[in-house]
Amino acid sequence: MASNPFDLTGRVALVTGSSRGIGNVLATGLAQAGATVVLNGRDQHRLTEARDALCDTVTGASCDIAAFDVTDEAAVTTGVAETIERNGDIDILVNNAGFQHREPMLDLSLADWDDVLRTDLTSAFIVGRTVARGMVERGRGKIVNICSVQAELARPSIAPYTAAKGGLRNLTRAMAAEWASRGVQINGIAPGYFATELTAPLVADPDFSGWVTGRTPAGRWGRAEDLVGPGVFLASDASAFVNGQILFVDGGMTAVV
C-alpha cells in the first residue's frame, strides 16, 4: 500500500451526473486527491463549463468530459470506450446520476415511475457493468454508488426514488458478491438531507427545514463537502478490504428514532 493510502495520483475517475451538485463536488474532491476526473452528463455545454470551473478550482487538475445518457446502453458503451481512449483505463467509477420526482403514489403515472427507476437504478447497472468489465479483467477497480437515506427510510410522495435507492443499495451488494473476488471494491454512500441546488426549495421551507434539523442529531443540513472525505476513502487504497458496504453520511439521522 502507498505511504498515503488516500492518494489518487495516476487514477482515472468517471463520475456520472457531475456537471453540478453533489456529483460535481465529489469530482472536485477526487481531483484534489490527484485523480484525473471525467465529468459526465447529457449537456455538453454545461459539462464544458463545469470542467473549466473544476480546473480553475484545483490547480494542475487533469479534467475531461464525457457527454452521454447513462440510461442508454449503446451510448454508455460508446462513451466509456471514448473515455478510455482519451484518458486510459477507468480506475474509479462514481454512479451519481439521478433525480427526484415527488407525487403521491395513487396519482403517479407508470411512465414517471419507470423514468426514476431507469435513471436512479438501472443506469448504475448499465454503467457499472460496462466499466466493471475492464476492472475485472485487470483485477482492480473501485465503484462507488451514491445511494440515499431513502434506501433505509421512506417518506410520502417519493415512492419511486425510495424504491430506486433501496434497489441501488442491494445492487451494490450484488456487485460485490460477483466482483470482489476479482479485485474490485464496490461500496455505496448514502447521504442524508443535503442542501443543494435541487433541494433549495426544501431548505427555504421553514417547516420542512425545521423537521430536517430536528430529526438529525447533528442539527443541520448536510453540505456537499461533507461527502468528499467518504468519497475519497471509498475510491482509494484506504478501503482495500471494504466491500458491499453502505456508508450513511446523514448526521446521525438513521441512528436514532
Side-chain angles (χ1 to χ4, degrees):
M1 183 176 290
S3 57
N4 177 6
F6 298 96
D7 183 14
L8 299 179
T9 301
R11 313 285 176 89
V12 176
L14 171 63
V15 185
T16 68
S18 52
S19 64
R20 59 181 177 177
I22 285 174
N24 187 259
V25 172
L26 286 170
T28 301
L30 295 176
Q32 290 170 332
T36 293
V37 174
V38 182
L39 305 178
N40 160 263
R42 291 181 294 185
D43 189 321
Q44 180 96 20
H45 178 68
R46 181 180 288 169
L47 283 172
T48 300
E49 290 185 335
R51 178 199 61 196
D52 293 346
L54 194 159
C55 288
D56 287 343
T57 301
V58 184
T59 303
S62 177
C63 312
D64 192 13
I65 61 173
F68 60 83
D69 182 350
V70 294
T71 69
D72 182 332
E73 187 172 21
V76 169
T77 300
T78 299
V80 167
E82 291 176 348
T83 295
I84 293 171
E85 183 178 355
R86 289 194 305 270
N87 301 281
D89 293 328
I90 297 171
D91 304 291
I92 301 160
L93 169 65
V94 180
N95 279 314
N96 171 75
F99 78 105
Q100 176 67 279
H101 179 89
R102 294 181 175 86
E103 188 174 8
M105 255 196 294
L106 294 180
D107 302 321
L108 182 70
S109 72
L110 182 58
D112 286 332
W113 168 274
D114 287 342
D115 198 20
V116 174
L117 267 290
R118 186 161 185 82
T119 303
D120 292 19
L121 174 58
T122 305
S123 71
F125 164 73
I126 295 172
V127 183
R129 184 172 67 168
T130 302
V131 173
R133 287 192 172 101
M135 292 179 171
V136 167
E137 183 177 328
R138 294 189 303 277
R140 59 181 174 81
K142 298 278 189 172
I143 298 176
V144 182
N145 294 324
I146 305 304
C147 303
S148 167
V149 290
Q150 306 305 338
E152 188 71 22
L153 306 174
R155 279 183 56 80
S157 80
I158 58 169
Y161 185 81
T162 302
K165 293 302 184 178
L168 185 56
R169 173 190 60 191
N170 273 1
L171 176 62
T172 300
R173 293 167 175 166
M175 288 175 167
E178 296 205 15
W179 303 332
S181 64
R182 307 297 294 274
V184 185
Q185 288 87 55
I186 308 95
N187 295 286
I189 295 175
Y193 283 85
F194 274 66
T196 66
E197 180 181 340
L198 294 178
T199 60
L202 297 177
V203 177
D205 182 333
D207 291 337
F208 191 86
S209 192
W211 176 83
V212 168
T213 56
R215 179 69 176 79
T216 304
R220 65 173 175 86
W221 287 75
R223 295 182 287 267
E225 292 75 14
D226 294 326
L227 297 170
V228 170
V232 171
F233 166 64
L234 292 178
S236 72
D237 291 340
S239 57
F241 199 54
V242 180
N243 230 320
Q245 303 303 307
I246 308 300
L247 176 55
F248 283 81
V249 184
D250 62 1
M253 176 176 276
T254 53
V256 300
V257 295

